[in-house]
Amino acid sequence: MRPRSLVFTLFGDYFRYCGDGEAPLRGLSDVLQLFEVEPATTRVVMSRLRAEGWFETRRDGRLTTYVLSPKAWQLLDEGRERIFRHVSGEWDGQWTLIATRASDRSARDEVRKQLTWLGFGQLQPAIWVAPGDRMAAARDLMETNGVSSDVFLSRSGDLDHDRSIAARGWDLDALDALYGRFVAQHDSPADGGTHDDALVARVRLTDDYRRFPFTDPDLPADLLPAGWNAPRAHEVFVRRHDELRPGATSAIERLTGMTVRGAHRAFLDGGAVGFTRER
C-alpha cells in the first residue's frame, strides 16, 4: 500500500472520529511504521497533502497536528458512501447513455476516470453507459469539465441484449476474479494476534475492499453471471471488519494518544453493505 493511500484509509476509518478529524504527526508516523513507512516519508507525504488542500495543520509548541480540510471531509464522505453502500438495489430496465463529442484531451481523461467512479462503462470510444437513471450526475460531470455530450435514458427491451451490453461495457470475468482473490486472501478466522496485528490486517482489508467501487458498476443481479463472487466478498469484508475493530481501535489509541469516538461499523442489510456509527 502506498503511503498516500494508507493516510486516507486511516483517516476514513479512524482519525475522522478523533477530535475534529485529526491526528498528531508523531502518532501518525508511529502508525505508518507498522506498514514499513519511515517517519521522513510520512512527513513528506503529509506536507504534500497539505499543499494540495487535503489537510490543515495546528501547532502546539513542537507538536504538529494534521486536521482534515472541508475538501477532505467531502472526499471521505463520498468515498464511504460508495464503499459501504456497494450493492445496488432493484433495476427498472433503464440505461443512462452518454454520447461525448470532441473536447480537450486532458478533460476527456479526467472525465473518463470520474465516469468510471460513477459506475459508467465504455461501449465505444465516445459512448458510455450505466444502469438506472444517473442523468443528473452525468450532466453535472460533463458541464463541470466542459465536455460536450448528449445524455439520455434508454431501454433495450430485451434482457439478453442488456446482458450483452453489460458484458461489453465491463470486464466482468476479471472483476469476478478480483472478488474471488479478495475472499481467498481475507476469509480467515479471527486470530490471537496483537492489537497492532489487528490494525494492520484491518487497514489492508479496507484498503483492498475500497478499490472495488473504481471497477464495479453495481450492476443489477439480472445482468450478472452465475456464481458472482461479490456477495461472498461483501460478507467476508463485513465479518472481518467487525472482528478486527476492537484490537485495531486500541492500537490507534495507544499509538496516537487520541480517542476514537463513534467509529463506523460495516453491516449487511439484504445483501447490501451498509454502515452505522458505533455508539
Side-chain angles (χ1 to χ4, degrees), residues 186 188-199 201 239-240 243-244 247:
H186 295 287
S188 58
D191 53 42
T194 67
H195 290 171
D196 288 357
D197 293 335
L199 175 59
R239 174 170 52 80
R240 293 295 286 151
E243 289 174 347
L244 295 165

Side-chain angles (χ1 to χ4, degrees), residues 88-122:
S88 62
E90 299 253 343
W91 183 45
D92 60 5
Q94 292 189 113
W95 294 95
T96 300
L97 269 71
I98 305 173
T100 61
R101 298 192 288 275
S103 60
D104 177 74
R105 180 174 179 177
S106 62
R108 290 201 309 271
D109 290 342
E110 180 60 28
V111 164
R112 182 180 296 107
K113 290 187 291 185
Q114 295 186 45
L115 282 172
T116 301
W117 172 252
L118 290 175
F120 281 84
Q122 194 170 22

Side-chain angles (χ1 to χ4, degrees), residues 11 20-23 54-58 65-69 72-73:
F11 270 87
D20 295 321
E22 62 192 64
W54 298 110
F55 292 95
E56 300 165 356
T57 54
R58 186 177 68 240
T65 297
Y66 279 84
V67 185
L68 290 167
S69 68
W73 276 109

Side-chain angles (χ1 to χ4, degrees), residues 15-279:
F15 296 129
R16 66 176 289 149
Y17 304 107
C18 295
D20 295 321
E22 62 192 64
L25 178 59
R26 184 179 304 167
L28 180 60
S29 295
D30 289 343
V31 172
L32 287 176
Q33 283 191 81
L34 297 178
F35 301 89
E36 301 181 353
V37 179
E38 294 299 322
T41 300
T42 298
R43 290 194 295 271
V44 170
V45 169
M46 295 309 297
S47 179
R48 288 176 178 171
L49 291 174
R50 179 180 181 274
E52 293 173 12
W54 298 110
F55 292 95
E56 300 165 356
T57 54
R58 186 177 68 240
R59 294 191 66 87
D60 181 12
R62 299 181 63 181
L63 177 66
T64 300
T65 297
Y66 279 84
V67 185
L68 290 167
S69 68
K71 173 183 174 181
W73 276 109
Q74 181 179 355
L75 175 73
L76 292 180
D77 285 344
E78 291 175 353
R80 185 178 63 170
E81 186 72 16
R82 282 299 310 274
I83 295 166
F84 289 94
R85 298 197 187 280
H86 189 49
V87 179
S88 62
E90 299 253 343
W91 183 45
D92 60 5
Q94 292 189 113
W95 294 95
T96 300
L97 269 71
I98 305 173
T100 61
R101 298 192 288 275
S103 60
D104 177 74
R105 180 174 179 177
S106 62
R108 290 201 309 271
D109 290 342
E110 180 60 28
V111 164
R112 182 180 296 107
K113 290 187 291 185
Q114 295 186 45
L115 282 172
T116 301
W117 172 252
L118 290 175
F120 281 84
Q122 194 170 22
L123 285 182
Q124 297 178 19
I127 304 295
W128 293 81
V129 62
D133 184 350
R134 309 190 192 191
M135 290 183 65
R139 285 173 172 163
D140 181 66
L141 174 60
M142 294 298 159
E143 291 173 5
T144 298
N145 288 276
V147 175
S148 299
S149 64
D150 298 305
V151 182
F152 49 92
L153 292 176
S154 179
R155 294 176 182 269
S156 76
D158 184 314
L159 183 57
D160 287 337
H161 188 66
D162 288 332
R163 288 171 177 159
S164 173
I165 291 173
R168 286 181 284 128
W170 296 272
D171 190 342
L172 297 181
D173 289 339
L175 180 57
D176 192 48
L178 287 176
Y179 275 123
R181 285 199 290 272
F182 178 89
V183 171
Q185 181 176 354
H186 295 287
D187 188 13
S188 58
D191 53 42
T194 67
H195 290 171
D196 288 357
D197 293 335
L199 175 59
V200 170
R202 196 172 193 249
V203 169
R204 292 190 185 282
L205 175 82
T206 302
D207 197 71
D208 286 349
Y209 188 82
R210 75 181 182 88
R211 301 174 193 275
F212 287 117
F214 291 97
T215 53
D216 188 345
D218 286 345
L219 292 175
D222 287 344
L223 303 179
L224 295 171
W228 186 241
N229 279 311
R232 177 59 177 157
H234 301 330
E235 186 277 326
V236 168
F237 172 73
V238 168
R239 174 170 52 80
R240 293 295 286 151
H241 191 267
D242 187 50
E243 289 174 347
L244 295 165
R245 179 181 54 84
T249 301
S250 294
I252 287 287
E253 293 181 338
R254 176 179 58 80
L255 291 167
T256 65
M258 304 290 292
T259 299
V260 180
R261 301 174 301 178
H264 64 263
R265 298 177 63 182
F267 67 92
L268 281 175
D269 182 12
V273 176
F275 63 88
T276 185
R277 177 165 291 188
E278 177 73 5
R279 300 187 184 279

